Amino acid sequence: MAMRQTPLTCSGHTRPVVDLAFSGITPYGYFLISACKDGKPMLRQGDTGDWIGTFLGHKGAVWGATLNKDATKAATAAADFTAKVWDAVSGDELMTLAHKHIVKTVDFTQDSNYLLTGGQDKLLRIYDLNKPEAEPKEISGHTSGIKKALWCSEDKQILSADDKTVRLWDHATMTEVKSLNFNMSVSSMEYIPEGEILVITYGRSIAFHSAVSLDPIKSFEAPATINSASLHPEKEFLVAGGEDFKLYKYDYNSGEELESYKGHFGPIHCVRFSPDGELYASGSEDGTLRLWQTVVGKTYGLWKCVLPEEIASENSDCIYPSAPDVKA
Amino acid sequence: MQTPVTIPVPVLRLPRGPDGFSRGFAPDGRRAPLRPEVPEIQECPIAQESLEFQEQRARAALRERYLRSLLAMVGRQVSFTLHEGVRVAAHFGATDLDVANFYVSQLQTPIGVQAEALLRCSDIISYTFKP
């Protein structure tokens, strides 16, 4: 009997979910943060999607959100011209970092000592979180608003994407090392430390580049405009979502489209694999986050594998989704 | 053309959403041990904690978690594994001060259901319940 994917819908946001990020694996499991245009980023337990808390304080749409590796700190980037750093255990605001325009992206270093920000003012900023009063170091060079900025190569380099370019910078010298030009708008970027791979989406393309040299590795074309893609930690699969509301799953090695899932009621803005690769989360214009199993039918988190005999049994303690989420 | 019959993967429950009245981050949540403690009295913040003090704090945190787990059990169906491979189920009521006895009701034993009973904790190897 074949099993059908049951996505788990996490509700709570009232406007589009534009960014999401997982923490690393901690002794308390792993966590998920979602950025929303309602200005209220939320922290959830990563394997179940259970809401833990909402970070209250921003006065505008939150465009970017991230967690540090052990999920003790969170950072958010917002349209109120600030980036904020939060205590992810208590939910308290720790720092407000003023910027001169909408902030779009935030990223912690591995040791959580520095925060990288980028936004519409076209500047990359590096804040020393141990000296919040000190002025940040600034890197200029982008000619359009920065959409994503990430630490890479063990925080020795920085990757940043604006509308049509992806640039690699050296952290120590704060100078540009290399850049890539695109003739279509870059919609997303993901960095995979193991293997130094960069995943870039633009138009209907999902491209993989070396994060060290920016040389292209391979690329796939999807049936629709893609807004975000994520590579599985073991590099077996990748998932992508975009304007046609569907999630696509590809075999990374062959490029074969393995599955496509309907479920969201709006374009998908962000998609990320969990740190253990067992599930992936998608955030959509429809205001929801959905969790999807990598291996459909496996017992994990809230999903429970059931043998055919157990399905007919009345002692089964599971519930089935009342209406199939896969709609025409 | 017939599409293959598929059944949706069953789920235990749906993800919990916001409670609608607070910002969350429950003080007694999973990660409570990570919270910085609020000092009751003005202490010198520079003084280094002794190993003993740290151990005592850890013991206090673990004890608190255990007591909260007992509170969470009240009124629930609990399965107890006793000696000689005996398993019984009952509704948990309360424990005494030293956690030496558990007061339970509707104790399902191999020879019938006992309306109320005291289980000696020294007889219990383990117990489990679903919150």
Side-chain angles (χ1 to χ4, degrees):
Chain A
M1 187 80 78
M3 301 297 292
R4 198 164 76 231
Q5 171 86 264
T6 302
L8 292 168
T9 303
C10 306
S11 56
H13 284 304
T14 53
R15 302 256 351 259
V17 176
V18 291
D19 194 22
L20 66 90
F22 281 99
S23 69
I25 297 173
T26 80
Y28 303 91
Y30 57 88
F31 300 82
L32 169 59
I33 187 171
S34 50
C36 181
K37 285 190 182 176
D38 63 11
K40 302 193 181 97
M42 290 186 179
L43 184 72
R44 295 177 186 271
Q45 195 66 43
D47 60 338
T48 58
D50 288 338
W51 174 79
I52 295 173
T54 304
F55 298 102
L56 298 174
H58 274 301
K59 296 184 178 64
V62 176
W63 287 101
T66 190
L67 290 166
N68 66 353
K69 207 156 65 162
D70 59 6
T72 50
K73 290 205 174 79
T76 50
D80 61 7
F81 293 22
T82 68
K84 285 183 193 277
V85 179
W86 312 79
D87 178 321
V89 178
S90 64
D92 294 333
E93 188 183 311
L94 293 174
M95 271 176 244
T96 294
L97 308 167
H99 289 62
K100 299 199 166 56
H101 208 309
I102 295 170
V103 194
K104 285 288 197 87
T105 174
V106 274
D107 196 30
F108 285 103
T109 48
Q110 292 290 307
D111 56 15
S112 308
N113 285 328
Y114 295 91
L115 185 73
L116 175 66
T117 71
Q120 298 289 76
D121 62 1
K122 308 173 196 162
L123 291 172
L124 288 165
R125 284 199 175 83
I126 300 166
Y127 289 86
D128 182 343
L129 298 179
N130 298 309
K131 298 189 200 122
E133 304 302 321
E135 284 299 306
K137 292 200 283 191
E138 287 177 6
I139 302 177
S140 58
H142 275 286
T143 53
S144 63
I146 295 166
K147 295 180 176 187
K148 196 83 183 175
L150 298 166
W151 294 101
C152 63
S153 305
E154 290 164 350
D155 306 331
K156 295 205 267 295
Q157 292 185 309
I158 291 163
L159 279 161
S160 57
D162 64 16
D163 196 41
K164 296 272 173 42
T165 70
V166 167
R167 297 173 200 235
L168 183 64
W169 311 81
D170 178 72
H171 179 193
T173 61
M174 313 254 289
T175 54
E176 189 179 304
V177 170
K178 205 169 174 191
S179 75
L180 285 172
N181 290 304
F182 297 89
N183 50 19
M184 267 181 288
S185 188
V186 174
S187 46
S188 80
M189 196 165 73
E190 184 192 43
Y191 166 66
I192 316 287
E194 302 83 17
E196 296 287 340
I197 298 175
L198 187 58
V199 185
I200 303 172
T201 58
Y202 54 95
R204 293 192 289 117
S205 303
I206 306 159
F208 301 89
H209 290 250
S210 155
V212 172
S213 63
L214 295 190
D215 290 338
I217 299 171
K218 59 168 87 179
S219 78
F220 308 135
E221 289 287 296
T225 302
I226 294 297
N227 292 330
S228 178
S230 183
L231 183 60
H232 187 269
E234 260 128 69
K235 304 179 191 50
E236 291 164 22
F237 317 102
L238 70 119
V239 287
E243 293 294 307
D244 67 354
F245 310 5
K246 286 195 211 174
L247 264 177
Y248 294 94
K249 185 177 173 193
Y250 293 89
D251 178 299
Y252 177 61
N253 295 307
S254 66
E256 182 197 340
E257 186 190 304
L258 298 170
E259 288 283 357
S260 69
Y261 298 113
K262 293 175 186 167
H264 276 296
F265 296 102
I268 292 166
H269 291 305
C270 44
V271 62
R272 280 287 175 270
F273 266 107
S274 62
D276 63 2
E278 296 283 356
L279 60 80
Y280 45 101
S282 56
S284 166
E285 183 77 8
D286 66 12
T288 66
L289 228 79
R290 278 170 201 242
L291 302 181
W292 310 79
Q293 285 191 286
T294 301
V295 176
V296 178
K298 193 173 172 182
T299 294
Y300 183 83
L302 297 175
W303 292 286
K304 185 167 149 86
C305 176
V306 172
L307 298 170
E309 309 86 64
E310 287 176 21
I311 293 160
S313 139
E314 282 171 34
N315 290 333
S316 174
D317 58 355
C318 309
I319 60 168
Y320 294 87
S322 51
D325 266 342
V326 187
K327 286 228 182 338
Chain B
M1 179 147 144
Q2 224 177 4
T3 47
V5 177
T6 58
I7 46 164
V9 177
V11 291
L12 296 171
R13 58 169 173 81
L14 297 175
R16 292 187 197 111
D19 56 19
F21 55 82
S22 79
R23 66 168 191 166
F25 298 102
D28 54 354
R30 256 164 120 165
R31 298 200 292 169
L34 293 181
R35 281 174 183 268
E37 285 190 0
V38 179
E40 296 280 353
I41 43 170
Q42 280 298 328
E43 286 177 327
C44 176
I46 303 162
Q48 198 70 327
E49 282 181 354
S50 67
L51 185 65
E52 222 182 300
F53 183 56
Q54 280 177 332
E55 263 186 50
Q56 185 51 35
R57 279 219 296 185
R59 276 193 227 112
L62 288 169
R63 174 95 182 140
E64 189 179 330
R65 270 170 80 171
Y66 181 66
L67 292 175
R68 288 189 188 281
S69 81
L70 289 176
L71 279 173
M73 266 194 341
V74 173
R76 304 247 192 258
Q77 179 87 346
V78 181
S79 285
F80 297 92
T81 302
L82 309 177
H83 286 278
E84 308 279 357
V86 175
R87 283 171 169 241
V88 294
H91 285 113
F92 181 76
T95 177
D96 57 5
L97 184 63
D98 307 313
V99 195
N101 296 288
F102 282 161
Y103 161 62
V104 298
S105 55
Q106 301 310 310
L107 176 69
Q108 292 161 32
T109 77
I111 51 163
V113 177
Q114 195 71 19
E116 289 176 32
L118 268 182
L119 284 175
R120 269 190 314 209
C121 288
S122 53
D123 290 342
I124 300 171
I125 294 175
S126 69
Y127 59 86
T128 177
F129 75 104
K130 282 190 184 141

